[in-house]
Amino acid sequence: MIFHNLAKQIKLTLRDKNYFIFTLIFPVALIFVLGNLLSGSFSQDASVKLQIVYEQNGSSQLGQAFEQFAKAAGSKNVTFTAVKSEAAGKKKVRNGQATAFVRTENEELSVATNYPDSVEKVMLDSYIGAFSSEYSFIKGTAQINPDQIEKAVQQVKLPKEAIVTEKVSDSSHISSFEYYAIGMISMTMMMGLAYGINSYRSEKLRNTAVRLETAPVRKTQILFGNFLGELAVQVLALIILMLVSQFIFGVQWGEYGIFIFAIFLSLGIFSVFLGMSLDIFSNGNSAIAGASTIIVNIFAFIGGAYFPMISPTVQKFSPIGWANISSREILYNHDLSAMIIPITMNLGMTFILLLLVLFVQKRRRA
């Protein structure tokens, strides 16, 4: 009987054009519109630009080698500029006009920096390491076989654009399409609230509630059948939206997609059962059905589905906010522990609602 109710509920929902409008077309349109309109709020320059100054020191072999390296290794992201003295180079670093100053004296190389961020530091270390390896190789070759110096230089010569560095996206620096894909999918899963409320009301509107109550079917079978049927169509929408987000809007769920799917699924479970519970507790009050859309939009606004400037503390007061924050943490910071709180909260509250619904139905039968 649960299976029959499940199949019946799926058929009725899929026949409703509002399901396709509000669960599939509406979120995809919002991702497209908001992603394009607010892309400037999320844009950032992913390239890292280094300004490296060095002291011209033609009197030492190391200084001559570094000057040749600087001319060959310069690119659009890394600029090498010669200065006449150590004081002039360090002054540029102190004033923020240069990222680093390189000094070569005798056979020693020293670098003075202005506390670059982690990406700039890695990039700077890469260039200095590349020069050190090149110089050591050429110097070693000269000591063993001076005739092979020219070939050694050609083998270790660093081409332009050889080192490319990008800032990797994290949960606080993502594109507008990525942000709104996560936000709209969370909001769509929360829309299960409206479908849960209407799962019983639709029976009354079609005048089939009396026949269903007089049939040899237990109320718990109707409850679980309707719940699983509404959840099934929510899962279908979730799969479609995640695929559309990946192949049309470029959201790379990757190996963490299954964990994010679990978070969205737990939100869908909670929202559907919350809607059914509210309908049962209110004894089918039509005002609850009318307020469901308002409730979802309030949760979406608080949860940061529309605007990224909502405080993370405020977002935690919304189930949509739990899903958004944890999904971004998993996808961009690879923090799998972020899924524990939203899944536990969603399933825990669903279980509490189930106990309350069974208690209320038992008292009404009595």
Side-chain angles (χ1 to χ4, degrees):
M1 297 308 300
I2 292 177
F3 173 78
H4 286 303
N5 274 283
L6 184 154
K8 178 260 301 179
Q9 204 66 31
I10 292 176
K11 292 177 182 178
L12 290 175
T13 304
L14 293 180
R15 289 174 185 171
D16 185 4
K17 63 180 180 180
N18 290 328
Y19 168 77
F20 295 96
I21 294 175
F22 291 104
T23 309
L24 297 177
I25 299 176
F26 183 65
V28 171
L30 277 180
I31 295 172
F32 177 77
V33 173
L34 293 176
N36 280 294
L37 289 179
L38 301 178
S39 59
S41 301
F42 294 83
S43 63
Q44 59 174 347
D45 187 3
S47 62
V48 180
K49 298 186 183 300
L50 297 183
Q51 296 284 342
I52 301 175
V53 294
Y54 64 94
E55 182 182 10
Q56 283 183 315
N57 187 2
S59 60
S60 69
Q61 185 177 354
L62 179 63
Q64 294 174 6
F66 188 83
E67 188 169 355
Q68 293 177 1
F69 171 82
K71 293 177 180 178
S75 66
K76 65 178 182 179
N77 291 332
V78 180
T79 303
F80 290 88
T81 305
V83 293
K84 295 182 178 180
S85 65
E86 178 182 357
K90 289 186 175 181
K91 183 179 179 181
K92 286 183 175 292
V93 173
R94 280 195 301 270
N95 295 338
Q97 297 174 329
T99 308
F101 166 69
V102 178
R103 180 171 182 264
T104 55
E105 185 177 6
N106 299 325
E107 290 300 305
E108 292 184 1
L109 183 148
S110 60
V111 181
T113 67
N114 61 353
Y115 297 99
D117 64 25
S118 57
V119 177
E120 290 176 333
K121 186 178 185 303
V122 169
M123 195 170 181
L124 178 62
D125 291 346
S126 299
Y127 271 87
I128 299 300
F131 167 72
S132 299
S133 299
E134 174 183 324
Y135 183 72
S136 298
F137 183 78
I138 295 174
K139 187 176 180 181
T141 303
Q143 292 176 348
I144 298 172
N145 189 353
D147 296 334
Q148 297 297 319
I149 291 180
E150 189 65 28
K151 291 183 178 180
V153 170
Q154 294 300 323
Q155 289 180 3
V156 300
K157 187 176 181 180
L158 187 70
K160 292 186 177 182
E161 310 295 339
I163 301 177
V164 179
T165 306
E166 292 183 349
K167 286 190 175 182
V168 180
S169 295
D170 57 28
S171 61
S172 60
H173 295 92
I174 62 178
S175 72
S176 57
F177 286 108
E178 292 167 336
Y179 182 90
Y180 285 112
I182 293 174
M184 291 303 109
I185 292 176
S186 298
M187 188 177 72
T188 302
M189 290 300 100
M190 197 67 214
M191 283 296 294
L193 174 71
Y195 296 116
I197 291 174
N198 291 326
S199 63
Y200 281 113
R201 292 193 73 254
S202 60
E203 301 287 353
K204 296 178 182 179
L205 294 175
R206 293 193 306 271
N207 298 317
T208 57
V210 176
R211 185 175 64 182
L212 190 62
E213 291 175 358
T214 57
V217 184
R218 293 194 297 271
K219 288 185 178 292
T220 53
Q221 293 176 329
I222 299 174
L223 175 69
F224 287 114
N226 287 357
F227 167 70
L228 293 175
E230 295 293 356
L231 181 61
V233 293
Q234 284 292 92
V235 171
L236 176 63
L238 173 58
I239 294 172
I240 293 174
L241 289 176
M242 290 188 72
L243 291 176
V244 170
S245 300
Q246 177 163 340
F247 293 107
I248 295 181
F249 299 114
V251 181
Q252 299 301 318
W253 305 109
E255 60 184 307
Y256 298 99
I258 187 66
F259 302 106
I260 297 173
F261 180 88
I263 294 173
F264 290 143
L265 177 61
S266 69
L267 178 59
I269 292 173
F270 167 66
S271 63
V272 171
F273 205 84
L274 175 62
M276 296 179 68
S277 302
L278 291 176
D279 185 65
I280 292 172
F281 295 154
S282 65
N283 201 18
N285 192 326
S286 58
I288 296 295
S292 62
T293 304
I294 298 175
I295 295 173
V296 172
N297 279 281
I298 291 174
F299 279 147
F301 179 80
I302 296 175
Y306 295 126
F307 305 104
M309 66 283 299
I310 301 296
S311 168
T313 303
V314 176
Q315 291 183 39
K316 293 177 182 178
F317 288 95
S318 166
I320 294 177
W322 307 339
N324 290 346
I325 293 173
S326 58
S327 297
R328 292 194 294 265
E329 285 294 319
I330 291 174
L331 188 59
Y332 300 104
N333 294 339
H334 312 313
D335 182 11
L336 294 180
S337 63
M339 67 186 294
I340 297 176
I341 292 179
I343 292 179
T344 303
M345 292 289 288
N346 288 328
L347 297 184
M349 290 190 297
T350 302
F351 182 71
I352 293 173
L353 289 173
L354 174 61
L355 296 179
L356 292 174
V357 167
L358 294 177
F359 175 74
V360 170
Q361 288 189 335
K362 184 177 180 180
R363 288 199 61 177
R364 287 179 180 173
R365 284 199 300 271

